[in-house]
Amino acid sequence: MLCLFVVLSALCAMAVPIPLPDFYSYSSAAGDGSGTEYSTAHVGRITGIRVYEYPYYYGNYINGIQLSYDGNWTELVGVSYYGNDEEMLLFKNEYIVQVSGKYYNGYVNELMFVSNLGRSMKVGQPSGFSFNFYPTHDGSELRFISGRQNGWAITSIGAHWAVYYPKSNTTSS
């Protein structure tokens, strides 16, 4: 009987799911956060970044952002008119590991994206309060950004990080 109890206990212990570590983290939004909420969350890996900068008399600010997921661009967050755009396309197995910048007087003035390969893209003017976002777990990468925009410019930005697990391309025969 004791043998049966040990075997049943072992089977029950193996049936209990073991939780995986949480590899998601969030870098709290920087900026005053006025306006409408936005999120660029999509399925797939980020393969490109496009940022629009508006050259304003009193200082430049970021007025639009788009991310590309597996080659497909998201809807524009903010606006793109009267500005300059900068674009960074990522190489295969390249991903974003840091987002930095500055904000002041209600607007995000500067953004910089850094990849795991050390490449970077910097847009805007270095004026205001600094922020620096990065994942808290090894192997995590930028999955999407969120924040607020007021129809004229980006007023806040936050970063969401997680480990990317690509879908398996196996087929059954």
Side-chain angles (χ1 to χ4, degrees):
M1 183 70 175
L2 180 60
C3 183
L4 181 60
F5 177 77
V6 170
V7 171
L8 287 175
S9 296
L11 287 174
C12 288
M14 290 185 332
V16 174
I18 300 172
L20 294 173
D22 181 12
F23 291 115
Y24 172 82
S25 61
Y26 171 64
S27 300
S28 297
D32 79 351
S34 65
T36 306
E37 294 177 348
Y38 70 84
S39 171
T40 64
H42 276 73
V43 175
R45 177 176 256 171
I46 295 172
T47 55
I49 302 163
R50 193 180 287 151
V51 179
Y52 299 90
E53 172 192 21
Y54 181 76
Y56 185 59
Y57 177 73
Y58 295 106
N60 295 19
Y61 52 85
I62 306 303
N63 66 338
I65 301 174
Q66 282 182 291
L67 297 182
S68 174
Y69 287 84
D70 295 332
N72 300 308
W73 290 99
T74 61
E75 288 187 33
L76 175 66
V77 171
V79 295
S80 64
Y81 52 85
Y82 303 119
N84 307 316
D85 65 305
E86 292 288 332
E87 185 175 288
M88 178 180 184
L89 298 177
L90 302 177
F91 299 131
K92 184 175 181 166
N93 296 319
E94 183 178 24
Y95 49 90
I96 301 300
V97 296
Q98 180 181 353
V99 179
S100 302
K102 294 190 179 275
Y103 66 95
Y104 184 73
N105 203 21
Y107 299 105
V108 175
N109 297 336
E110 177 189 56
L111 283 175
M112 183 170 79
F113 295 87
V114 180
S115 82
N116 62 315
L117 300 180
R119 294 193 320 134
S120 63
M121 177 181 77
K122 185 176 176 184
V123 181
Q125 297 301 313
S127 62
F129 302 104
S130 298
F131 62 89
N132 187 25
F133 301 152
Y134 51 88
T136 57
H137 304 288
D138 287 341
S140 292
E141 62 189 77
L142 183 66
R143 298 295 296 128
F144 66 97
I145 58 173
S146 64
R148 291 184 174 270
Q149 58 90 18
N150 64 6
W152 182 251
I154 304 300
T155 61
S156 70
I157 186 170
H160 300 259
W161 310 92
V163 174
Y164 176 71
Y165 297 105
K167 289 184 178 182
S168 173
N169 290 333
T170 60
T171 58
S172 59
S173 26

